[in-house]
Amino acid sequence: AEAALQESEARFRELAENWTDQVIVRINLRTRRHEYVSPGMTRIFGYRPEEFYAETSRALDAVLPEWRPQRDLWLEEMSRGVIRPEYEFEVLDAWGDRRWVLQRGSILCDAKGRPAALQAVLCDNTERRRLEDALRESNRRYALLAENMADVIWALDADLRWTYLSPSAGVLAGEGVDALLQRPLDSLVSAESMGFIGRALEQWLRAEPGSPEDEPQLLTLEVRQADGRLVPVEALARCLRDEEGRIIGYCGAARDIRPRRRMERVEAA
């Protein structure tokens, strides 16, 4: 049994020593000291593994102060055998930069079945967090724009089911956006407008991706309001294709052209 244990440990270290894209650590849950830190730590975070075995070192203070109470809570949970699917926290790397760390692992128990150590894999999650933050900010700006513009931003899937309508759609149609999203397209536009839409769809279906026939189309349609009145709109529509050129949906913008038509009548008078 002892020989098997030693062989297993040797295989583990061989794997860990050659795994440089992530960091493998083992922490004693009773002493909270590091028992093992793989060489990947140096490449990713700049600290040498031996710094984690010392009594004091800058590496031991790498977790940012605002995250230390949470880290201590997590370690206390682990000492009771409770482990979460993943942990995310911030550290200061050896070069002085803040990094996000994603940690996943498991608890190793002693011969009596008591939690003894945490064995975990750490990876640098900084870039993903930056992308997520940038996406959230982009979505916030887009939502602010969509909520404050008169034009209607819309999107349909390949089966002509609504996937998005900006808040201005409710103003145009005289009905709440949530209700509009549940209604079929042909109940929101006139029969003549559905004919125009059908011809545009047929052209896109026949078109080669990227060809002139595949370009966005400007359609004049009539939107049916909640009280049955028809509102003329100008809709700029385009088809969406996947990497293989198949149509996966449609999107565009629509504008109420009643003010423009009133102006045209005044000028013609």
Side-chain angles (χ1 to χ4, degrees):
E2 183 68 25
L5 180 61
Q6 290 178 353
E7 183 180 352
S8 175
E9 181 70 16
R11 285 200 300 268
F12 165 76
R13 286 184 176 270
E14 182 181 4
L15 172 64
E17 301 291 307
N18 291 283
W19 198 1
T20 58
D21 290 334
Q22 296 175 321
V23 183
I24 297 177
V25 300
R26 183 183 296 161
I27 299 173
N28 188 305
L29 291 175
R30 292 165 191 160
T31 65
R32 297 195 178 179
R33 297 287 302 275
H34 288 78
E35 295 180 344
Y36 178 75
V37 177
S38 71
M41 178 66 73
T42 304
R43 193 187 74 80
I44 300 175
F45 299 107
Y47 297 112
R48 302 187 312 277
E50 53 267 28
E51 292 183 75
F52 290 87
Y53 308 139
E55 290 290 338
T56 59
S57 77
R58 59 176 185 156
L60 296 174
D61 295 326
V63 176
L64 290 175
E66 58 265 35
W67 283 97
R68 291 172 193 169
Q70 185 64 61
R71 175 201 58 184
D72 292 340
L73 173 64
W74 290 337
L75 288 171
E76 193 277 329
E77 288 178 348
M78 293 174 197
S79 69
R80 293 186 282 107
V82 177
I83 190 165
R84 306 183 188 191
E86 63 182 32
Y87 302 85
E88 195 171 21
F89 52 93
E90 285 185 284
V91 302
L92 197 67
D93 67 21
W95 304 286
D97 297 319
R98 295 171 72 111
R99 299 281 195 93
W100 280 97
V101 176
L102 182 66
Q103 172 184 302
R104 296 188 180 98
S106 58
I107 294 174
L108 306 179
C109 296
D110 61 18
K112 295 183 179 180
R114 297 173 300 191
L118 165 70
Q119 188 161 287
V121 175
L122 314 179
C123 64
D124 184 355
N125 207 38
T126 307
E127 188 59 29
R128 193 186 83 175
R129 284 298 297 249
R130 285 175 181 162
L131 291 173
E132 289 174 349
D133 290 344
L135 179 60
R136 277 193 292 271
E137 177 62 17
S138 176
N139 287 341
R140 185 192 69 80
R141 292 179 179 177
Y142 178 80
L144 183 64
L145 176 64
E147 289 168 8
N148 289 280
M149 68 185 306
D151 289 2
V152 176
I153 307 299
W154 56 268
L156 294 159
D157 65 16
D159 296 318
L160 302 184
R161 292 180 299 224
W162 298 108
T163 58
Y164 179 76
L165 283 170
S166 64
S168 50
V171 178
L172 178 66
E175 190 173 349
V177 172
D178 289 342
L180 292 173
L181 288 168
Q182 304 305 314
R183 291 179 57 183
L185 176 61
D186 60 7
S187 73
L188 288 173
V189 299
S190 66
E192 184 180 18
S193 294
M194 280 304 299
F196 296 147
I197 293 169
R199 286 191 285 277
L201 299 182
E202 289 175 5
Q203 178 175 315
W204 282 324
L205 286 170
R206 293 194 305 267
E208 289 292 325
S211 67
E213 291 75 20
D214 195 44
E215 293 295 313
Q217 297 191 42
L218 188 62
L219 306 174
T220 300
L221 308 173
E222 292 176 315
V223 172
R224 182 174 289 107
Q225 292 188 314
D227 60 7
R229 288 184 297 177
L230 295 175
V231 177
V233 301
E234 196 170 71
L236 182 64
R238 62 172 297 178
C239 66
L240 302 173
R241 297 182 183 273
D242 62 17
E243 294 179 353
E244 297 179 1
R246 294 173 298 197
I247 293 177
I248 57 173
Y250 309 89
C251 69
R255 172 173 296 179
D256 182 349
I257 59 174
R258 285 177 297 180
R260 190 179 76 192
R261 288 192 171 179
R262 283 195 292 267
M263 183 61 69
E264 290 171 350
R265 286 196 295 269
V266 169
E267 292 176 349

